[in-house]
Amino acid sequence: MDTGYLSSASASKTRSRCPLQEQLLHRRNSSQNLDRFIPNRSAMDMDYAHYMLTEAKKGKENPAVNSPSREAYRKQLAETFNMNRTRILAFKNKPPTPVEAFPSEFSSSVQQAKPAKPRRHIPQTSERTLDAPDLVDDYYLNLLDWGSSNVLSIALGSTVYLWDASDGATSELATVDEDNGPVTSVKWAPDGRHIAVGLNNSDVQLWDTTANRLLRTLRGGHRSRVGALDWNNHILTTGGMDGQIINNDVRVRSPVVDTYQGHHQEVCGLKWSASGQQLASGGNDNLLHIWDRSMASSNSTTQWLHRLEDHTAAVKALAWCPFQGNLLASGGGGGDRSIKFWNTHTGACVNSIDTGSQVCALLWNKNERELLSSHGFTKNQLTLWKYPSMVKVAELTGHTSRVLFMAQSPDGCTVASAAGDETLRFWNVFGTPEVAKPAPKANPEPFAHLNRIR
């Protein structure tokens, strides 16, 4: 079980900060940098320096000690250990000159056949930082999402803001009453125009962001706050603190289609697979359920396909693999700290790795076999993993509190992260996707470039 808590920031502090305004980092000018130059000890050959100050000097003082054979041996030894140089400061980071084991003609042909893929540069700092005052510091909520129209939505207290990534424009979508708020979840519909907003009073609102208009409010399905949302085409799935999962068909007047009952504590994670056939749900009861849409029963209550009990803390972070449809990644809270991988056809756990800290969110790279995780205590970092080896590729730091929420841009390259430190940061962590080369145009007929034979 993980403990969620509200931010203790004072009202006077948050009033003085404008939501989603870029922070300006003040840098010291060069005249204020009074540090003296300190040589890099790792780049100095201390053994050779000691030799030059002691043994070499002794040899000069008493040249008679060195016989011709001893002098020849000394020269050979110096040649072998590269001591016949005049510089003590050695640039050890310089890569050695490659030795050609094959003729240059052969090596050049091999290089042309298999060009080496350049290593992707991953910036270690965020490319942009925005203020996010009143962001609720609660592990179980889902307050950040990036829609297909390249507009990012974030809930700050009782207000939902929209930030257009194409021009940086910020607008306020809705503010709910204190009796109904705060906002506990946001989720864009696949069309990038409509958005679902979950509230603390158990209601779910559907908004048209183009017209800035409330379309309808779903009431009565849950008995307490709705902290998890996800869409499957026209089906809006909601998860509440009451442990219920409800599928709502937003096209009809009575939207409740069926109910998934398996959690006995708050549902904090919901993710439909890309095929729309399987739903993963995680809860504060440390349970992970896999539901199959084809198993929906006529009595409106559906039995789970798999009930997975390997996590030892709340399961909020869920991510379906984009290149393997039946692979699911899940992350555990502070008492678990692990990322687990599941075959959702069989229910088997295929791998598990201890991350050392609370796992708050997970995102797959759409262009490479990589997984990004965000964490809480102690580093409050984002970690990029290589899959399936789970070797750390990079650690991105900058947040000073647990990184509760992550969202991915429509092109899959940029990741937005929001943390309890009331900042929203943007990271160019997944790089730029490779542009596919256009296929060569085929000739309309064979030998079209030759003269016709009459």
Side-chain angles (χ1 to χ4, degrees):
M1 183 179 295
D2 254 56
T3 303
Y5 56 90
L6 299 180
S7 175
S8 59
S10 63
S12 60
K13 182 187 76 171
T14 55
R15 284 196 201 100
S16 64
R17 296 168 59 191
C18 254
L20 306 185
Q21 295 298 310
E22 190 158 8
Q23 293 185 351
L24 298 177
L25 301 179
H26 300 285
R27 297 181 179 178
R28 296 187 306 173
N29 56 41
S30 58
S31 62
Q32 293 175 303
N33 187 0
L34 304 178
D35 288 346
R36 60 189 174 86
F37 171 73
I38 301 176
N40 184 1
R41 294 179 64 87
S42 63
M44 299 183 67
D45 192 336
M46 303 304 293
D47 293 335
Y48 179 62
H50 183 266
Y51 168 80
M52 293 297 294
L53 291 173
T54 58
E55 300 301 324
K57 189 175 181 180
K58 292 178 182 178
K60 290 181 179 180
E61 292 176 351
N62 191 7
V65 176
N66 292 334
S67 63
S69 60
R70 185 184 296 270
E71 182 66 20
Y73 173 76
R74 186 193 65 78
K75 289 183 179 181
Q76 182 65 31
L77 188 65
E79 183 71 25
T80 303
F81 287 99
N82 196 25
M83 296 175 65
N84 56 342
R85 63 188 190 277
T86 59
R87 299 184 64 179
I88 297 176
L89 183 61
F91 295 94
K92 293 186 176 181
N93 294 330
K94 184 178 179 181
T97 304
V99 179
E100 291 191 5
F102 299 96
S104 58
E105 295 82 3
F106 178 81
S107 60
S108 61
S109 62
V110 172
Q111 290 177 359
Q112 291 178 1
K114 292 184 179 180
K117 187 177 180 180
R119 187 172 181 178
R120 188 174 88 249
H121 171 66
I122 302 174
Q124 298 297 303
T125 57
S126 57
E127 61 180 13
R128 174 176 286 177
T129 301
L130 305 181
D131 279 323
D134 286 336
L135 181 74
V136 179
D137 188 357
D138 193 323
Y139 177 81
Y140 304 107
L141 306 185
N142 293 272
L143 304 178
L144 181 70
D145 195 28
W146 205 328
S148 58
S149 58
N150 205 21
V151 177
L152 184 139
S153 63
I154 184 170
L156 302 178
S158 297
T159 304
V160 177
Y161 292 92
L162 304 180
W163 185 80
D164 194 329
S166 59
D167 57 9
T170 303
S171 60
E172 181 181 323
L173 176 66
T175 298
V176 299
D177 298 334
E178 291 183 2
D179 296 337
N180 301 327
V183 175
T184 51
S185 54
V186 293
K187 190 66 180 180
W188 284 100
D191 61 5
R193 172 177 176 175
H194 299 91
I195 190 171
V197 178
L199 303 180
N200 191 59
N201 71 340
S202 78
D203 290 349
V204 178
Q205 296 181 348
L206 300 179
W207 285 80
D208 183 341
T209 60
T210 304
N212 201 34
R213 182 167 63 95
L214 176 62
L215 299 178
R216 66 189 299 186
T217 301
L218 308 181
R219 293 189 175 95
H222 294 280
R223 298 186 299 272
S224 54
R225 71 179 186 180
V226 180
L229 301 167
D230 202 22
W231 289 88
N232 187 359
N233 294 322
H234 54 271
I235 299 295
L236 172 62
T237 304
T238 61
M241 185 181 270
D242 54 10
Q244 285 198 99
I245 300 172
I246 300 175
N247 286 334
N248 303 272
D249 189 339
V250 299
R251 302 172 301 175
V252 299
R253 184 176 296 274
S254 300
V256 177
V257 177
D258 53 352
T259 303
Y260 297 161
Q261 293 183 348
H263 293 281
H264 56 269
Q265 291 190 37
E266 181 168 15
V267 177
C268 50
L270 283 176
K271 281 292 187 298
W272 280 100
S273 63
S275 65
Q277 286 300 118
Q278 290 188 330
L279 173 71
S281 67
N284 192 31
D285 49 12
N286 308 346
L287 295 176
L288 170 62
H289 286 105
I290 307 297
W291 312 84
D292 197 297
R293 193 176 179 187
S294 62
M295 296 175 61
S297 58
S298 58
N299 62 0
S300 75
T301 300
T302 302
Q303 184 71 14
W304 61 78
L305 176 64
H306 300 294
R307 181 185 180 96
L308 308 171
E309 305 178 4
D310 293 28
H311 282 290
T312 57
V315 183
K316 176 197 173 186
L318 300 171
W320 290 91
C321 179
F323 52 83
Q324 187 174 335
N326 65 329
L327 179 63
L328 173 73
S330 63
D336 180 87
R337 305 179 302 276
S338 71
I339 298 175
K340 299 184 186 299
F341 298 90
W342 308 89
N343 182 333
T344 60
H345 288 342
T346 64
C349 181
V350 296
N351 194 11
S352 178
I353 181 170
D354 185 358
T355 68
S357 59
Q358 179 187 52
V359 183
C360 301
L362 293 171
L363 287 175
W364 286 94
N365 187 343
K366 297 178 181 179
N367 310 311
E368 301 281 347
R369 293 183 177 241
E370 296 172 342
L371 180 70
L372 183 69
S373 58
S374 71
H375 299 271
F377 184 79
T378 59
K379 293 183 180 180
N380 306 311
Q381 85 281 15
L382 282 73
T383 303
L384 184 63
W385 310 85
K386 192 70 178 176
Y387 183 84
S389 65
M390 293 306 287
V391 173
K392 286 184 182 180
V393 179
E395 281 196 345
L396 312 178
T397 57
H399 283 294
T400 57
S401 182
R402 55 183 179 173
V403 188
L404 294 168
F405 319 112
M406 288 198 302
Q408 195 171 8
S409 61
D411 62 4
C413 299
T414 306
V415 170
S417 62
D421 57 12
E422 297 185 334
T423 64
L424 176 64
R425 294 174 181 265
F426 295 84
W427 312 83
N428 186 18
V429 60
F430 287 151
T432 305
E434 294 182 1
V435 179
K437 294 182 180 179
K441 294 182 179 180
N443 290 326
E445 61 179 288
F447 310 106
H449 60 289
L450 302 176
N451 294 329
R452 290 184 177 273
I453 300 177
R454 303 194 178 194

